[in-house]
Amino acid sequence: MFRMTSPSSTKTPFQSAVCIVGNGAIAKTAALGLAQAGHSVTLLVPPAPPAPAVAPDAPEAGWDARVYALNHTANTLLSSLKVWGALDATRVAAVDTMVVNGDGAQAGDLAFDAFGAHVGALAWIVEDRNLNQALDAALKFAPNVQLVSGRATGLDAHADGAVVHLEGGASIRSELVVGADGGQSWVRGQCDIGIDYRSYHQRAVVTNFSCEKPHHGAAFQWFTGAEGIVALLPLPGDRVSLVWSAPDPLADTIMAETMGELAVRLAVYADDKLGTLRPLQPEVVKDLPLALIRPHTIVAPRVALVGDAAHVVHPLAGHGMNLGFADVADLLKTIAAREEQRSIGDERVLARYARARKEDILLMQLATDGLARLFAANIEPVRIARNLGLNLLNKLPMLKRRLMSHAMGK
Ligand SMILES: Cc1cc2nc3c(=O)[nH]c(=O)nc-3n(C[C@H](O)[C@H](O)[C@H](O)COP(=O)(O)OP(=O)(O)OC[C@H]3O[C@@H](n4cnc5c(N)ncnc54)[C@H](O)[C@@H]3O)c2cc1C
């Protein structure tokens, strides 16, 4: 059963088969999956900042500005861990259609729908808070998970295991350390894993709106060229969630303006589809810097990286988290399929995990990076070519279906 421990209460090393570093959805999912497969897990989370008092009508009680389009891989994994069923279903929106619009005078477009793809939904839009609450609830009942809140100071890997040292002198011993600690991964740094880093010089502005016309489960995306990429994702009811990947100067301007002014900017793109947009909670708006991070490897002795620790991609395809769920699914599969005599942190097991993930990660990095660059170029011949490409793809059902299957994680 799940136990919460603080390192200050003990200097005896914590001991478990796996130590997972991280406190996001991917760390929690990995902890659940490994625990349900019979491995003891220590989940190392950073010390919590003091919780602010939240009035019932404060923004936190409203719609979360951080939402994810989760695909079928995520759905399958979370269902198998009994987490999908624990989501608040009244706050999950199924995506039935995706409409991608190009830019300029001859703007191309591309549309996908669930009916054409022979599925009930292309994806589901889930708030970060809803997802984390379901994961936290499932963790409470997970066998063999102990939650340790503390700050890691060092990581030693030996032939027979790894030790994570904590501030204050405590430590966690395990056969395998899973780094699920995000794009700035401390675990990755401890293993001296190099990265390729490139800023997109864009920030994603995220917030929510109510819409005058029903969205009918459609996700809209506009590749605007100079203004970046605007996506409006369906939320339950007549609500939509904005992810605007805006060049830095435009992001600065948007963040300095009122939400009413942002709605006016959006009307240029969305007015005919969604009617007037009204800010749901004007105070709930965030901007997040966007970069491509490619670690040179996702394994090291006794260490596996998952989620953003293993790859950070542009959110234009809404796939970073889905890629992380696929990491966890493949890690679970690789560990389950290992020879009986091998430890779960065995070098060969980890090499198999890295091989299993290589193609999927590379494809997503190339596709998202390629599209981000293609649609950022402000050169007329490139603009014409990309719009022709969108129109052409829209007329090639076989290719479109294959692309869609991959995006859905099927
Ligand atoms: C604007 C935007 C929109 C997106 N939309 C989508 C989408 O629609 N669909 C999709 O699939 N993906 C989407 N993504 C990508 C998605 O947000 C990330 O891929 C996902 O959040 C990564 O999850 P993670 O758990 O790996 O990392 P994080 O969410 O970054 O979590 C890392 C955790 O590790 C903890 N941590 C850090 N350091 C330490 C340490 N030393 N010790 C212990 N804990 C530590 C942090 O506190 C944090 O809780 C989007 C991204 C952006 C920016």
Side-chain angles (χ1 to χ4, degrees), residues 21-24 26 44 46 66 68-69 181-182 204 307-308 318-322:
V21 182
N23 196 22
I26 297 300
L44 175 63
R66 287 305 311 270
Y68 309 109
D181 49 349
D308 274 19
H319 265 306
M321 180 78 89
N322 291 319

Side-chain angles (χ1 to χ4, degrees), residues 20-28 44-47 66-71 124-125 128 150-152 179-187 203-206 233 242-245 288-290 306-325:
I20 299 176
V21 182
N23 196 22
I26 297 300
K28 293 173 189 175
L44 175 63
V45 304
R66 287 305 311 270
V67 305
Y68 309 109
L70 298 186
N71 69 6
W124 295 266
I125 308 299
D128 181 70
R151 225 176 287 283
D181 49 349
Q184 306 303 321
S185 176
W186 172 86
V187 173
R203 297 208 303 285
V205 177
V206 295
L233 309 173
L242 170 72
V243 182
W244 189 334
S245 305
L288 310 146
L290 302 181
V306 292
D308 274 19
H311 40 68
V312 175
V313 294
H314 195 289
L316 65 89
H319 265 306
M321 180 78 89
N322 291 319
L323 214 49
F325 284 126

Side-chain angles (χ1 to χ4, degrees), residues 195-228:
I195 57 164
D196 294 331
Y197 174 96
R198 187 155 37 81
S199 167
Y200 284 109
H201 304 294
Q202 291 182 338
R203 297 208 303 285
V205 177
V206 295
T207 188
N208 301 321
F209 292 89
S210 64
C211 47
E212 186 189 11
K213 297 183 194 169
H215 52 60
H216 298 300
F220 297 101
Q221 191 166 38
W222 292 266
F223 285 90
T224 76
E227 294 203 322

